[in-house]
Amino acid sequence: MPKTRRLALMALLTAIALTIFVVEAQIPAPAPIPGVKLGLANIITLITMRLLGKREAGAVLLVRVLMGAMFVGSPSTLLFSAAGGALAYLLMCLLAERFGPDRLWIVSALAGIAHNAGQLLACALVVKTPGVFAYAPVLAASGVITGVFTGLAAQYLLKALKKVKF
Amino acid sequence: MKKNNLLWGLALVLIAAAGLLSYRILGQGEGTVAVVSVNGEQWERIDLSKVRRAYDLDITTEYGHNIVHVEPGAISVTEADCPDQVCVHQGRLTGSGIPIICMPHRLVIEIEGGELDA
């Protein structure tokens, strides 16, 4: 793929991820538990990693997290989502080669756990209250459930995108 | 490959089930002393068993604004100027185990456990 085309595709994917992120922030959280969210924007991170590669996925994620916090959220939410995003990204990079395209749901579920772990860790450091770790198990559960869902969505999307010539 | 997927699926279902179950069990701790803190600093310390009449605490900091409702035996957040309102939806806290957290405002409301108090 030519460099310009690659760059344009990355910009497009970032815009889609940001849109998903902002729209998701407008709908109520699925459960009244701090840190629980659908994480639909991760679908884009996953497919960017498959379509373009790890570095590109990292760039799209970074811009999405930074600009997402500008559109919705506050400086503290930026910190939490950056910590979660970074940990989830590292895990996805580690697992990307070990799991085939039809097993993205596993990668995504584990990334969901990693995201929530990073977020909780950042939160515990900020509020300096170890009591927040009481949320660790339920956040792991939420990471698995939403992660499987976003992973499957990415899988089906990739299948459909195979027909598209970039 | 097929079997491997099944194992992964099973493990993930187990994690999800255990996590959800723990949330129910953890939330049933004893204790009556509620500690309200912002950014790690204690703001208020209230023995809920000694509260006779309900009142509101106004917590306004550089991170945001919350109204904490204190009543006999329970504490809750009734107002927050954050977009997600998760802390408001968390409802009333009556025992130790699971604190109320308002992440964007760095607000934590905990009830200290009985004998496990550290």
Side-chain angles (χ1 to χ4, degrees):
Chain A
M1 196 183 299
K3 222 177 161 187
T4 325
R5 188 164 280 223
R6 223 175 163 75
L7 196 62
L9 189 56
M10 278 169 74
L12 179 65
L13 286 165
T14 309
I16 297 171
L18 258 174
T19 311
I20 296 174
F21 188 80
V22 171
V23 169
E24 193 190 306
Q26 311 306 315
I27 56 176
I33 298 167
V36 170
K37 57 179 293 184
L38 295 172
L40 297 176
N42 192 47
I43 296 172
I44 303 299
T45 314
L46 282 165
I47 69 161
T48 309
M49 199 171 272
R50 287 279 158 186
L51 289 176
L52 295 170
K54 288 175 191 167
R55 281 179 53 200
E56 287 80 355
V60 168
L61 174 68
L62 185 69
V63 176
R64 189 259 291 170
V65 166
L66 287 178
M67 292 186 72
M70 273 183 232
F71 290 141
V72 286
S74 60
S76 12
T77 49
L78 168 66
L79 180 72
F80 304 138
S81 73
L87 216 59
Y89 173 71
L90 284 178
L91 196 85
M92 285 195 282
C93 286
L94 280 174
L95 297 178
E97 272 104 39
R98 295 189 191 194
F99 291 87
D102 58 335
R103 300 172 89 203
L104 265 187
W105 58 277
I106 301 172
V107 176
S108 180
L110 296 175
I113 299 178
H115 177 277
N116 287 353
Q119 188 173 259
L120 187 63
L121 221 58
C123 174
L125 286 177
V126 164
V127 302
K128 299 170 201 87
T129 312
V132 299
F133 282 116
Y135 281 100
V138 74
L139 283 177
S142 138
V144 166
I145 296 164
T146 60
V148 166
F149 179 71
T150 53
L152 284 175
Q155 260 174 247
Y156 291 122
L157 195 57
L158 278 169
K159 229 182 229 172
L161 284 175
K162 264 191 186 157
K163 294 168 197 147
V164 182
K165 268 190 110 183
F166 289 109
Chain B
M1 188 70 165
K2 267 255 167 70
K3 205 175 156 196
N4 215 335
N5 275 358
L6 198 71
L7 276 178
W8 272 109
L10 220 63
L12 292 177
V13 167
L14 265 177
I15 293 174
L20 295 177
L21 195 69
S22 83
Y23 190 61
R24 301 211 119 182
I25 296 170
L26 277 177
Q28 292 165 347
E30 303 276 312
T32 57
V33 178
V35 177
V36 180
S37 53
V38 177
N39 201 21
E41 277 166 47
Q42 186 171 314
W43 189 283
E44 282 282 350
R45 192 188 177 90
I46 311 147
D47 189 344
L48 297 175
S49 64
K50 293 195 177 111
V51 174
R52 293 270 168 265
R53 281 170 64 193
Y55 61 95
D56 284 340
L57 280 174
D58 188 318
I59 297 184
T60 305
T61 64
E62 57 187 298
Y63 306 109
H65 164 76
N66 296 74
I67 300 274
V68 174
H69 186 66
V70 182
E71 54 195 302
I75 188 162
S76 56
V77 178
T78 47
E79 236 183 88
D81 63 349
C82 63
D84 61 26
Q85 301 291 309
V86 167
C87 54
V88 177
H89 294 304
Q90 273 189 280
R92 295 158 74 235
L93 197 63
T94 55
S96 67
I98 306 256
I100 293 178
I101 311 177
C102 175
M103 286 217 292
H105 297 174
R106 306 190 175 188
L107 171 77
V108 178
I109 304 173
E110 273 187 299
I111 293 189
E112 293 179 344
E115 66 270 64
L116 280 169
D117 192 9

